[in-house]
Amino acid sequence: MGRAEHADRVYAGPSRPARLRRRVVSAAALPPGVLAAEAGWRALRGGLRALADRRELRAGARPTSPETWRPFVLGGADTRPKAGPSPLELEACLREADAALDGGFAVLGYGTVTIDTEGRGWRHDPVHGFTWPDRHHRLLAPVPGRADIKVPWEIGRLQWLTALARAFAYTGDSRYRDGAVELLRSWSAANPVGYGPNWANAMEAGIRAANLVWASEILGDPGFTSLAGGMLRDHGWFIAGNLEYGPRLTSNHYLADLVGLVHAGGALRHSRAGRLWLRMGGSGLQREILKQFHEDGSNFEASTGYHRLSTELVLLGLLALRRLRAPVRSEVCDRLAAAVEVLSALTGPGGLLPALGDDDSGLVVGLQSGRNPRDPAPLVAAAGAVREAEPSPEAAGPELAQWCGAPPRRTQARPRAASFPGAGWYVLAAGPYWCLAECGGVGQRGNGGHGHNDTLSFVFCADGREIVTDPGTGVYTPDPEVRNLLRATRSHATVEVDGQEQNRFDPALLFTMRSDDRPRVTDHHADGSGRQVLEAVHEGYRRLDDPVVHRRRFVLDREGLTVTDHIDCRAPHTLVLSLPLAPGVRAERRDGATLLVADGTTVILGQTSGPRLSFGVQETPWSAAYGHVATAQVLRAAVRTRGSVSWGLRFRMSDGARTT
């Protein structure tokens, strides 16, 4: 079947009998209280959806009607930060705005894609050549192996609209203002509320609502604002009728829903519906922050990328509440501050977050162009704005922080070592060496939707250069094979047993994973010399006929990093140890040693104990951002054992330890 023939076919997910069987099995495992809550929620959701559907049918038959609303996020009439963007930030803003005028939009790791900004173009995935029909959103779903619904979603979040508004604020060039109005009208006409892929879930509507508010306030154009007000009214009703909530599990999707309700409700707070959305969003958001972020500030999704995205959602939601002078509980602000400190502590020596677990490279509001999603510095700088009801008159720093009105942040030394037991993340650092160890479970309270099989894996840096890495995410639905490969045990710096996964998953279910591993930390301490020790164990392979337990011990000091593995078993097993190397790092054999060489930094990989490990060099997928898949080297060694076995590896720089 050719592309043109199948472009308008609808994929609605698993068959109805399959969905029913899955629900019956799931319900049978629930405690009676949770089952009753689930039944009650489904009944309430049915009523909300029926109300939203009736409104969508009426709204879909006519253009969006204008609606006036009251600004709030900027805190005053002067919409331009006093300091202004740096030359590089201004250049990036104008580049994004100019591209949007020509139908070009930055989409995650795919780069800039070009679409026809009329009609079907807004529902098109130009990367894979697929267009979704304008059917009701409940009749649409991703099309695994054929297209990526995240492409129209990313364009439909309207972050480029906020970039056009910023470009007009900086230059006064009417092309940007007029282009913003024209493109928004085109998008609205091509995406009637509730129809097409851009309404597939409430999260997309929630992020879009936030961008509509910010773009309108920055632009300050009455015609644009009235159009955006009508869209915000439709978005508020849609989100309220399609909340991604369940008594068993809520995630970053629900956070985005609530942030959208806060923005739509805040803008339309003169109306009864707006006040209702604001109450729902404000109270729900604060509950979810305390629910989804552990007391130590780490997020429950088992993913550094989704920790960053969820923190960004929380920041913008609480900032909106503060600008509206709505009550925000002090413990909620404290939890956000802790989440921001987690971002600081997890940032590697190169300034980026290691990619533990999934990362879809998503951002929230387009207040700074060209921002690397794995660089948390702008977000960290912006977080101080939440403590104040009004923007700081001395706002400075990255462009994102300036628009949020954050006061100047004192530059503090990033913690050299840190631990976040809630998520199982441990940072070890001394001298030129830095290591992040992953000792947590699958996340999402056992659902594993964004976790990887990376238990007891690690990321290692020497002299500021990443040496052993995490391979990232790749993509989700457009290539299920790559998706499953990059979340598999063998892709991470840990040990695979008998070709089995640490946590089992169904290759057809791309966002769930069994919680088999039950990891725990058995020792974590540092001595007076700066030597740091971490020991952890997981039981993901106890389910085998001959139960296997994997214990790993990390010892890091100014001389290097030692990683010792102990495999406890009784029968024969095949063990595979993988060490994925960062791009640009090449493995060389020299004088009987393995050298890891990159950019003038050479790390000697030696063995300190155990049976001789013979490493081979292979190519493996590696992903810097969602939608971008390249290759890098991985070292792998296979061990055939008939019982318990241990080995130790030592990483040290070839020119000796440094003490600075």
Side-chain angles (χ1 to χ4, degrees):
M1 180 180 293
R3 179 177 294 165
E5 294 175 88
H6 75 234
D8 281 343
R9 286 180 56 188
V10 179
Y11 175 78
S15 66
R16 180 170 300 197
R19 293 198 300 272
L20 181 59
R21 284 195 303 272
R22 190 179 304 164
R23 288 174 181 173
V24 169
V25 171
S26 178
L30 294 177
V34 176
L35 185 60
E38 184 78 17
W41 162 246
R42 287 184 179 274
L44 175 61
R45 184 175 62 183
L48 290 172
R49 283 185 171 180
L51 176 62
D53 287 349
R54 286 197 295 272
R55 293 191 61 86
E56 289 164 19
L57 287 172
R58 294 198 301 270
R62 65 178 191 276
T64 299
S65 58
E67 176 86 53
T68 57
W69 57 281
R70 298 161 59 190
F72 62 95
V73 292
L74 289 176
D78 184 1
T79 63
R80 184 170 179 171
K82 300 296 188 295
S86 70
L88 289 178
E89 289 172 338
L90 177 59
E91 180 183 355
C93 174
L94 298 183
R95 185 166 54 246
E96 182 178 6
D98 289 336
L101 295 178
D102 293 330
F105 304 96
V107 176
L108 310 173
Y110 291 118
T112 298
V113 303
T114 302
I115 64 168
D116 178 4
T117 55
E118 296 293 336
R120 290 162 55 94
W122 295 110
R123 295 181 272 108
H124 184 56
D125 169 8
V127 179
H128 303 91
F130 187 93
T131 301
W132 276 265
D134 57 350
R135 307 286 181 86
H136 190 269
H137 65 96
R138 293 199 194 100
L139 299 177
L140 300 177
V143 283
R146 291 162 55 192
D148 193 346
I149 199 169
K150 289 183 69 64
V151 175
W153 281 359
E154 186 68 16
I155 297 172
R157 290 180 173 184
L158 307 186
Q159 290 153 347
W160 48 267
L161 193 68
T162 308
L164 283 166
R166 287 165 33 236
F168 176 71
Y170 293 144
T171 67
D173 189 334
S174 61
R175 292 186 306 118
Y176 299 121
R177 178 196 60 209
D178 298 343
V181 174
E182 180 181 346
L183 286 170
L184 184 59
R185 284 177 177 160
S186 173
W187 190 94
S188 179
N191 293 273
V193 59
Y195 287 80
N198 288 304
W199 296 96
N201 59 55
M203 179 180 193
E204 302 310 310
I207 293 178
R208 190 159 53 242
N211 278 283
L212 283 169
V213 167
W214 280 93
S216 297
E217 293 203 24
I218 294 171
L219 198 61
D221 179 80
F224 183 96
T225 299
S226 65
L227 172 60
M231 294 178 66
L232 285 167
R233 179 195 58 231
D234 292 340
H235 278 65
W237 282 114
F238 178 84
I239 297 169
N242 295 277
L243 288 170
E244 295 163 279
Y245 171 83
R248 286 176 294 170
L249 177 67
T250 52
S251 69
N252 64 89
H253 275 244
Y254 187 49
L255 282 180
D257 301 350
L258 298 170
V259 169
L261 284 178
V262 167
H263 282 82
L268 303 179
R269 60 193 181 279
H270 58 277
S271 69
R272 182 179 299 175
R275 291 190 294 273
L276 172 63
W277 302 332
L278 184 55
R279 286 196 299 271
M280 288 174 59
S283 60
L285 179 62
Q286 296 184 63
R287 285 195 302 271
E288 285 299 308
I289 291 168
L290 299 177
K291 178 180 174 183
Q292 294 191 30
F293 288 85
H294 304 296
E295 290 187 6
D296 60 17
S298 59
N299 188 265
F300 86 131
E301 300 247 20
S303 154
T304 54
Y306 280 92
H307 175 95
R308 195 271 313 151
L309 176 63
S310 295
T311 302
E312 193 163 333
L313 285 165
V314 167
L315 166 63
L316 290 162
L318 293 184
L319 181 65
L321 290 174
R322 294 291 287 161
R323 295 290 187 265
L324 290 161
R325 290 179 168 75
V328 177
R329 295 152 59 187
S330 61
E331 61 267 34
V332 171
C333 290
D334 292 342
R335 194 65 58 90
L336 170 62
V340 171
E341 288 307 311
V342 172
L343 289 175
S344 295
L346 296 185
T347 301
L352 300 180
L353 289 171
L356 302 184
D358 278 348
D359 184 0
D360 73 351
S361 300
L363 302 174
V364 184
V365 177
L367 295 174
Q368 182 172 328
S369 300
R371 186 154 60 99
N372 186 335
R374 289 177 57 191
D375 176 8
L379 185 59
V380 171
V386 171
R387 292 289 184 181
E388 307 296 331
E390 293 290 342
S392 169
E394 304 299 327
E399 192 181 2
L400 173 66
Q402 292 186 44
W403 281 112
C404 290
R409 178 181 170 89
R410 294 190 185 93
T411 57
Q412 297 179 346
R414 181 166 46 84
R416 296 295 296 165
S419 60
F420 304 102
W425 296 331
Y426 292 81
V427 177
L428 312 175
Y433 302 109
W434 187 93
C435 175
L436 172 60
E438 210 292 331
C439 304
V442 301
Q444 292 184 340
R445 297 182 174 84
N447 181 64
H450 288 306
H452 288 186
N453 273 329
D454 54 4
T455 310
L456 306 193
S457 70
F458 64 100
V459 173
F460 172 66
C461 300
D463 201 27
R465 181 66 163 83
E466 191 169 275
I467 304 298
V468 178
T469 191
D470 185 289
T473 298
V475 293
Y476 291 156
T477 58
D479 195 333
E481 183 177 349
V482 168
R483 161 65 171 160
N484 288 324
L485 175 61
L486 284 174
R487 64 175 177 154
T489 306
R490 187 172 284 215
S491 292
H492 299 88
T494 189
V495 178
E496 177 196 77
V497 179
D498 294 341
Q500 299 294 308
E501 296 292 344
Q502 294 174 334
N503 302 283
R504 290 164 289 179
F505 60 79
D506 184 337
L509 302 178
L510 302 183
F511 298 100
T512 188
M513 182 181 290
R514 293 196 187 188
S515 182
D516 293 322
D517 55 3
R518 297 186 295 278
R520 65 186 185 278
V521 171
T522 57
D523 185 20
H524 180 225
H525 71 272
D527 58 30
S529 68
R531 178 174 174 267
Q532 297 156 52
V533 177
L534 172 67
E535 185 172 298
V537 61
H538 84 82
E539 302 178 354
Y541 295 116
R542 272 194 182 277
R543 68 181 191 271
L544 302 182
D545 291 339
D546 174 56
V548 176
V549 175
H550 177 201
R551 185 181 303 273
R552 174 167 277 184
R553 182 178 178 85
F554 299 87
V555 178
L556 187 143
D557 56 28
R558 292 176 178 274
E559 304 298 322
L561 170 69
T562 300
V563 180
T564 304
D565 288 308
H566 178 75
I567 308 298
D568 185 13
C569 59
R570 295 184 178 182
H573 294 281
T574 298
L575 315 174
V576 175
L577 170 64
S578 298
L579 296 173
L581 304 180
V585 179
R586 64 183 187 277
E588 300 178 358
R589 292 288 297 174
R590 191 181 304 169
D591 299 329
T594 299
L595 304 184
L596 308 178
V597 183
D599 300 335
T601 298
T602 300
V603 172
I604 299 175
L605 170 60
Q607 188 167 349
T608 61
S609 63
R612 182 176 179 275
L613 300 177
S614 180
F615 284 102
V617 180
Q618 301 174 13
E619 295 291 313
T620 188
W622 173 85
S623 174
Y626 181 94
H628 173 85
V629 180
T631 58
Q633 290 188 345
V634 58
L635 294 177
R636 285 204 176 100
V639 176
R640 181 69 177 171
T641 182
R642 295 182 177 277
S644 297
V645 65
S646 300
W647 60 75
L649 298 176
R650 178 73 170 168
F651 300 82
R652 64 178 179 85
M653 293 175 59
S654 63
D655 58 348
R658 304 181 186 182
T659 59
T660 58

